[in-house]
Amino acid sequence: MSAIAATDVAIAFGGVAAVDGVSFAVEPGEIFAVIGPNGAGKTSLFNIVAGIYPPARGRVALGADDVTGLAPHLLAQRGLSRTFQNLQIFFRMTAAENVMVGRHLHERRALLPHLFALPSVLRQNRATRQKAEELLAFVGLASFADQPAGTMPYGALKRLEIARALATEPKVLLLDEPAAGCNPVETAEVDAVIQKVAASGVAVVLVEHDMKLVMKISSRIHVLDQGRTLAEGTAAEVRANPEVVKVYLGAHA
Amino acid sequence: MPEFLQFFFSGLTVGAIYALVAVGFTLIYNASDVINFAQGEFVMLGGMVTFFAAAAGVPLPLAALLAIVVATAVGLLLHRLAIEPARGASAVSLIIITIGASIFLRGISAIVFDKNFHSYPAFAGSEPWKIGGAALLPQSVIVLLGAGAIVVALWAFMTMTLTGKALVATAANRLAARLVGINTGAIVGLAFAVSAAIGAIGGILMTPITLTSYDVGTLLALKGFAAAMLGGMGNPLGAVIGGLAVGLLEAFSAGYISSAYKDAIAFLVILVVLFAMPQGLLGRAAIERV
Amino acid sequence: MRRFTQHPYAAVVLLAAIVIAIPLATSTTFYLRIAALVFIFALAVVGLNLLMGFAGQVSLGHAGFFGIGAYAVAVGPTHFAVPSWAALLAGAAIAALLAFLVGRPILKLKGHYLAVATLGLGILIAMVFTNEARFTGGPDGMPVLRLELFGWRARTPLAWYWISGVTLIVGALIAVNLIESPTGRAFRAIHDSETAARTLGIDVARYKLAAFVLSAIYAAVAGAYLALFDALVTPVTAGFLRSIEFVTMAVIGGLGSILGGVVGAAVLVLLPQVLTAFHEYEHVMLGLLMMLFMIFLPAGIVPSLMRLMRGRS
């Protein structure tokens, strides 16, 4: 079965259908982009899948588990991780510490040992730190390890969020406009990281406005318009689809 | 019946003062998102300055006027020296600043004035009127009428004058107000000044009944805040309703349950409101956007 | 030197050095008494710092927990013939239980709503102490029987200097252990972005509650110490002003800094001593300090000093 699948998902706000019966499925290792003009329902769909609010109808499944309507921290336990469009970095912590927080689900969390710095806790701290350094290296931020996140450049922070999200060892990674606000160099760096993530077997779902990025790296693209699926296919297929061209790509192709 | 009426009258009276404090909170909160814990000190200054000026020989009406002027000046200084420089600070920082200001003002008051209780003669005589077997002080009526007049005047100011409308605009959306040319800094200062004046008037009116001293401010601020929360933080009508409600709740529970824990009512109200309906009676629920 | 100061346990080592050094430098009981008071308040502030500086919450009612500890060691031995050390443990347990019960609903609130809710809680606790005169001696308070361990009575400033000093070191050690653990990282994550913390699987409510309960225990132990040291307890010890003093100590010293808590406590304990001639100016100075620090040095003394040192090197 798919790493993540949405079936006939719908939600309405104030009587207006923001998402109206959308279905998709993403396999491990795929980069699945959701695009559409403003107001198409991308954000609402994303929020449903990310557990911000439940759909009015339809199901979301992670592998064999029905996770419809589950809250974010429960989704995280089941292997779903995400980044944020407007960066929710832990600015007061260093890059390494940010990623270490991501290891939380894989650490032993009993309070008492933490109070007394038992050897098991110290060993675990070292292992967590080790893993964090590996992930920072994976996204090309090894040199920033002990730098306070608040002093890091924007593009680096975008990659840091990805590293942090990967620390939970997710099966599915949701990226909320990973290239937003990035200059071409930063976008290229994010692009490279996303491809590495997919190559490692994670199913990547991204919402993105940067068409060049989407066309370049996506395995499949899902086009939304006014809450409904307009088209789905490879970049070439979607680009050639006259409906899509009419509604969206005309200005961007 | 006479008991009930008695508690009702005293509850209404003290509730009117809480309402004035709550309205003051609301004005400042709406204009600047600041919760001004020094609000109660304006009430304190109203009573204390009036008493000491009168004791120094100034005729009572002039002494009261002086008190209003002093409180207003303190309000403006508070805004200029403590709030403005800290613009952009976190909500908690601002709370600490206003609590610090309240402690500071209380300390100054203890030194400049003294630590005793004071009062001055009621404005319309101190013979209580008998109504339904309960005693109603003329001063209570003055407090209620005064509070009512202030609320009406404030409403008229905000809906019928240009400056008042600028205040409403600033409260609704500060950036937009700036963009249409409103001097929001001055507006916030105005909010502080008006709040201080309102508080002072409350203090002037209530002193013949409740007496005044250097530290009446703290409890008043907290109860006024409870009232503002109950009515819905940011809603002026809610502030009035909240104030009267807290005053009545206090009087009735003191009368029928226990007078030792009279002061606890306001804090229980705070907790209940925060747990059960944080937006208060008339407020709107806050939305957090990511 | 720089690597040492950045080491998380540097603060604890420094603290231990100070605690050991002071009695070597002076045997004047007056100074030892002052130092003991600083250590006692610092203990409460270290706990409050875990809640405010690290987990990013706020409590304007912490003196309530402080008072629970204080009254426990007063009421227990006097009214229930419980030995002081047992009463101390009971006080800490009661404070922890209350924090646990009230914490879940209260910590759903944020910002000034949370501030005022905790404020209300603290004042309600203080009111109980003021009103239940049969047990607590009412507004005038009650005397506290001295701590007695194996026949030895802890009476002198020197004795309490060591008791409070060692407890502070242990308390600071536990706090640093906590901060350098997954729980500590969860606290700090919650402080910076609750939203992100949730998406990483952190049970935000649980950790906020943990911080609240832990800080309540620190406060209760400190309160018990103060009562046993002073041999007296009054409702003032649980009052609004004391809660504000704790927050001021934490903020002035520097939120998020263990050493900052100690510095803040030192400033506020020493201030009235320095101003003994101007006793009436205590409140004026406290209020002024609060305002000036929040406006001009919001980061607090210790973090600002450290930033200065880092800037120079």
Side-chain angles (χ1 to χ4, degrees):
Chain A
M1 75 224 31
S2 316
I4 181 168
T7 316
D8 193 35
V9 161
I11 196 163
F13 295 114
V16 176
V19 179
D20 194 7
V22 172
S23 302
F24 65 81
V26 184
E27 307 304 320
E30 276 200 295
I31 297 177
F32 188 81
V34 177
I35 66 172
N38 283 324
K42 305 188 295 298
T43 308
S44 304
L45 180 63
F46 190 94
N47 284 341
I48 290 171
V49 175
I52 306 288
Y53 37 75
R57 74 162 192 272
R59 313 251 114 234
V60 179
L62 281 178
D65 294 329
D66 185 337
V67 296
T68 317
L70 284 185
H73 75 277
L74 293 170
L75 289 174
Q77 289 170 16
R78 284 173 172 74
L80 181 91
S81 208
R82 68 164 287 181
T83 62
F84 295 87
Q85 181 184 342
N86 40 16
L87 285 183
Q88 294 284 328
I89 289 286
F90 305 131
F91 285 107
R92 264 177 280 235
M93 298 167 85
T94 65
E97 287 171 334
N98 264 270
V99 181
M100 285 168 78
V101 175
R103 294 298 298 158
H104 194 83
L105 284 170
H106 297 277
E107 292 175 309
R108 259 167 312 176
R109 305 195 280 280
L111 187 60
L112 233 42
H114 294 170
L115 294 174
F116 299 109
L118 300 182
S120 59
V121 177
L122 297 176
R123 251 178 287 131
Q124 187 175 258
N125 274 348
R126 272 195 296 273
T128 299
R129 165 82 195 199
Q130 173 87 352
K131 201 74 173 63
E133 286 172 1
E134 284 167 21
L135 284 164
L136 284 174
F138 184 78
V139 302
L141 293 174
S143 57
F144 286 98
D146 293 310
Q147 189 165 330
T151 64
M152 285 169 62
Y154 183 80
L157 290 174
K158 287 297 231 182
R159 281 180 285 146
L160 178 60
E161 255 203 13
I162 295 177
R164 186 180 69 182
L166 289 174
T168 64
E169 293 179 23
K171 302 199 197 72
V172 178
L173 180 63
L174 301 178
L175 298 174
D176 192 355
E177 301 206 24
C182 287
N183 62 40
V185 173
E186 292 166 334
T187 303
E189 288 165 341
V190 170
D191 156 344
V193 167
I194 295 177
Q195 294 195 63
K196 275 177 83 171
V197 171
S200 73
V202 177
V204 178
V205 179
L206 66 130
V207 164
E208 184 50 70
H209 280 292
D210 185 333
M211 280 308 122
K212 274 176 52 192
L213 175 74
V214 167
M215 290 295 159
K216 176 169 179 272
I217 68 173
S218 307
S219 322
R220 275 182 301 139
I221 301 173
H222 190 103
V223 186
L224 287 181
D225 183 36
Q226 296 184 25
R228 293 210 186 82
T229 304
L230 190 62
E232 186 183 294
T234 65
E237 288 165 3
V238 161
R239 216 193 264 121
N241 185 319
E243 297 285 306
V244 175
V245 172
K246 189 170 40 157
V247 135
Y248 189 40
L249 284 180
H252 294 266
Chain B
M1 188 51 186
E3 249 185 19
F4 179 88
L5 223 49
Q6 191 70 63
F7 300 147
F8 181 70
F9 288 151
S10 57
L12 221 53
T13 309
V14 72
I17 302 297
Y18 296 160
L20 286 180
V21 176
V23 167
F25 262 124
T26 305
L27 258 177
I28 292 180
Y29 178 74
N30 276 346
S32 63
D33 282 333
V34 171
I35 306 244
N36 178 25
F37 274 100
Q39 192 65 29
E41 307 312 318
F42 299 140
V43 179
M44 180 271 292
L45 284 173
M48 291 293 269
V49 172
T50 305
F51 169 79
F52 277 89
V58 178
L60 201 58
L62 274 159
L65 209 58
L66 181 65
I68 298 177
V69 169
V70 168
T72 308
V74 169
L76 282 167
L77 282 172
L78 176 64
H79 170 244
R80 236 356 201 54
L81 299 178
I83 306 292
E84 268 272 299
R87 201 142 34 123
S90 66
V92 176
S93 295
L94 286 165
I95 288 180
I96 294 180
I97 291 177
T98 59
I99 293 181
S102 141
I103 293 176
F104 177 76
L105 288 170
R106 202 165 6 130
I108 295 271
S109 180
I111 296 171
V112 169
F113 302 128
D114 64 25
K115 291 195 174 187
N116 300 323
F117 280 96
H118 297 293
S119 181
Y120 39 79
F123 298 164
S126 38
E127 266 307 307
W129 300 330
K130 289 275 183 224
I131 302 183
L136 179 63
L137 287 169
Q139 191 70 18
S140 287
V141 178
I142 293 180
V143 167
L144 286 163
L145 289 176
I150 288 177
V151 170
V152 169
L154 203 59
W155 172 81
F157 169 67
M158 300 218 291
T159 50
M160 296 183 210
T161 69
L162 205 54
T163 318
K165 291 189 184 169
L167 182 62
V168 176
T170 307
N173 186 326
R174 199 161 319 135
L175 181 57
R178 295 244 287 277
L179 289 174
V180 297
I182 294 177
N183 183 344
T184 51
I187 291 290
V188 175
L190 180 67
F192 270 83
V194 173
S195 289
I198 291 178
I201 295 176
I204 293 169
L205 295 179
M206 81 172 199
T207 299
I209 306 175
T210 63
L211 303 180
T212 186
S213 84
Y214 81 110
D215 67 352
V216 292
T218 318
L219 225 47
L220 272 174
L222 294 170
K223 291 178 182 180
F225 183 79
M229 291 229 64
L230 178 61
M233 202 71 209
N235 186 318
L237 182 61
V240 175
I241 294 177
L244 294 173
V246 171
L248 287 168
L249 274 166
E250 212 178 76
F252 281 122
S253 53
Y256 289 126
I257 307 174
S258 149
S259 63
Y261 283 101
K262 173 171 76 91
D263 290 333
I265 286 300
F267 302 111
L268 281 170
V269 165
I270 288 181
L271 289 176
V272 167
V273 169
L274 285 173
F275 290 166
M277 43 165 192
Q279 71 274 20
L281 293 167
L282 300 181
R284 264 166 300 129
I287 312 168
E288 197 191 338
R289 286 188 159 270
V290 169
Chain C
M1 178 65 191
R2 187 137 166 267
R3 296 219 46 208
F4 172 74
T5 54
Q6 280 176 357
H7 194 281
Y9 288 93
V12 183
V13 172
L14 192 59
L15 207 51
I18 292 174
V19 173
I20 295 172
I22 292 181
L24 296 175
T26 174
S27 54
T28 315
T29 50
F30 179 70
Y31 293 145
L32 292 175
R33 186 188 152 74
I34 301 287
L37 286 174
V38 171
F39 295 158
I40 288 174
F41 280 103
L43 183 66
V45 177
V46 164
L48 185 61
N49 208 345
L50 283 174
L51 180 69
M52 287 185 65
F54 290 97
Q57 307 305 300
V58 65
S59 172
L60 296 184
H62 237 60
F65 299 123
F66 189 80
I68 288 177
Y71 272 94
V73 293
V75 170
T78 305
H79 291 294
F80 299 105
V82 171
S84 300
W85 62 265
L88 190 152
L89 291 175
I94 294 172
L97 185 64
L98 183 65
F100 185 78
L101 293 172
V102 179
R104 271 224 184 255
I106 264 191
L107 291 164
K108 288 199 182 113
L109 305 166
K110 298 207 179 81
H112 50 246
Y113 294 108
L114 175 60
V116 174
T118 52
L119 191 154
L121 176 68
I123 290 187
L124 282 172
I125 296 176
M127 277 186 192
V128 171
F129 292 140
T130 309
N131 286 327
E132 299 304 317
R134 204 160 56 91
F135 285 108
T136 66
D140 292 326
M142 61 185 285
V144 178
L145 296 173
R146 291 287 184 182
L147 171 67
E148 219 176 287
L149 291 168
F150 310 111
W152 167 72
R153 287 171 88 221
R155 212 174 27 85
T156 63
L158 184 64
W160 279 102
Y161 176 88
W162 284 114
I163 293 176
S164 57
V166 169
T167 308
L168 177 62
I169 294 173
V170 170
L173 193 62
I174 291 178
V176 177
N177 289 342
L178 189 67
I179 290 161
E180 299 296 318
S181 75
T183 302
R185 287 191 286 276
F187 283 178
R188 295 165 65 199
I190 290 170
H191 189 180
D192 282 354
S193 169
E194 265 186 52
T195 312
R198 280 205 188 87
T199 64
L200 297 170
I202 291 176
D203 185 344
V204 170
R206 171 173 176 256
Y207 283 103
K208 283 186 182 177
L209 188 61
F212 196 56
V213 170
L214 276 168
S215 62
I217 293 175
Y218 273 81
V221 172
Y225 277 15
L226 185 66
L228 290 167
F229 185 24
D230 277 345
L232 172 72
V233 66
T234 71
V236 163
T237 212
F240 174 56
L241 200 60
R242 172 127 309 158
S243 289
I244 296 302
E245 281 170 2
F246 286 147
V247 172
T248 306
M249 290 175 188
V251 166
I252 285 183
L255 285 176
S257 159
I258 300 289
L259 216 50
V262 182
V263 169
V267 169
L268 247 60
V269 167
L270 292 171
L271 195 67
Q273 304 303 324
V274 166
L275 295 174
T276 39
F278 307 98
H279 178 72
E280 315 103 66
Y281 286 86
E282 240 181 273
H283 283 184
V284 174
M285 289 271 82
L286 177 65
L288 209 56
L289 232 85
M290 288 168 73
M291 289 190 283
L292 290 175
F293 266 90
M294 292 319 293
I295 298 172
F296 296 114
L297 207 66
I301 295 177
V302 174
S304 301
L305 272 178
M306 293 196 54
R307 204 177 301 157
L308 211 64
M309 287 197 315
R310 241 177 283 152
R312 291 248 180 87
S313 58

